Amino acid sequence: MLPGSFVLSRTAIAFVDAVKRQLAGLGKPYIPIVSYFPIDGVPKKKWIDNIAKVDFPVTYLKFGAMECIRKNNDLNGRLRIIPHGVDPQEFYPMDKLEARTFKRAMFGDSTADKFMFLNVNRNQIRKMLPSSLLAFKHFQKQVPDSFMYMNMKAVDVGWNLPEVCNSLGLVEGRDILFPPNFNVQKGLTLEDLNKVFNAADVLVSTAIGGGWE
């Protein structure tokens, strides 16, 4: 299996072709190439032309497949779609009382009965996080007793989210919550992330670039 998209260079293809020719000369069986790759937006044609050279190109979602075929129609009928799986031992529905108890412990007593929005993303430009905040502001006009938890670093490679909140009139620590001292390399444990998902009433994402959106 080879990587895909921009990672799959002509050099990698040429190397694999050379290995396959050598194996053929030794009478060894043909080895097909599989590339399983995400599409994070509109790809460059040269990336997709490389993808088209493999035996079994596979992407995550219909969106990615459509973008690839738009760049290289030779993939039409060949490109397969296999979504990522989810391990039910790691992400699963919890007892509502247990989830509510966790919600109070993590976000404070004042949040226990509030409607909870959740956005789990890296704070990057392409995640369009201000759009999530703006959408929440409109929602909060209808449901004042609500808050939004942004599971990410408040100031990162993308946006200065506290400044965005301030410009929208959203109060950090009341309307919008961020995890303290968040480490983007570690994040939350899988156990705690599952609890966060269970504590939320709705999960939102306004990302316009991401392999799994």
Side-chain angles (χ1 to χ4, degrees):
M1 176 179 285
L2 291 179
S5 193
F6 62 91
V7 181
L8 185 57
S9 67
R10 291 182 180 178
T11 302
I13 292 289
F15 172 76
V16 174
D17 284 342
V19 171
K20 288 164 68 174
R21 286 195 299 270
Q22 185 176 12
L23 289 172
L26 295 173
K28 300 294 183 179
Y30 175 80
I31 301 176
I33 304 174
V34 177
S35 179
Y36 184 49
F37 60 96
I39 290 296
D40 294 348
V42 179
K44 293 182 179 180
K45 188 178 188 305
K46 62 181 180 180
W47 299 347
I48 307 308
D49 287 346
N50 285 335
I51 293 292
K53 295 176 183 177
V54 307
D55 299 290
F56 297 101
V58 186
T59 191
Y60 301 175
L61 298 172
K62 184 178 179 180
F63 163 79
M66 291 174 63
E67 290 298 323
C68 290
I69 292 169
R70 191 173 288 122
K71 294 295 183 180
N72 188 323
N73 196 57
D74 289 343
L75 287 167
N76 193 8
R78 291 183 54 227
L79 183 59
R80 304 185 184 190
I81 300 172
I82 302 178
H84 274 336
V86 176
D87 189 340
Q89 300 299 315
E90 296 176 344
F91 295 100
Y92 54 88
M94 291 169 51
D95 176 80
K96 290 185 178 181
L97 180 58
E98 184 182 0
R100 191 171 185 273
T101 300
F102 171 80
K103 182 180 178 181
R104 174 182 276 112
M106 184 164 183
F107 304 115
D109 292 339
S110 64
T111 67
D113 297 317
K114 287 187 174 182
F115 192 98
M116 177 179 164
F117 260 61
L118 173 64
N119 190 311
V120 178
N121 268 300
R122 177 77 188 274
N123 181 356
Q124 298 173 316
I125 293 292
R126 63 196 176 103
K127 303 303 181 179
M128 291 301 292
L129 298 167
S131 295
S132 290
L133 293 169
L134 182 59
F136 172 71
K137 180 178 180 179
H138 286 295
F139 173 82
Q140 198 180 44
K141 292 177 182 178
Q142 301 180 53
V143 185
D145 201 23
S146 59
F147 74 100
M148 185 173 196
Y149 176 57
M150 308 285 281
N151 189 68
M152 60 196 67
K153 192 173 182 179
V155 181
D156 199 358
V157 294
W159 309 86
N160 184 322
L161 293 176
E163 286 191 0
V164 176
C165 290
N166 185 58
S167 69
L168 293 174
L170 295 168
V171 178
E172 183 182 354
R174 185 194 69 191
D175 304 318
I176 308 296
L177 302 181
F178 299 101
N181 305 314
F182 190 75
N183 186 324
V184 297
Q185 301 301 324
K186 295 182 179 179
L188 298 181
T189 65
L190 289 177
E191 181 181 2
D192 283 344
L193 184 57
N194 183 60
K195 291 177 180 178
V196 168
F197 282 134
N198 276 272
D201 294 287
V202 63
L203 172 68
V204 299
S205 176
T206 45
I208 58 170
W212 187 229
E213 268 67 25

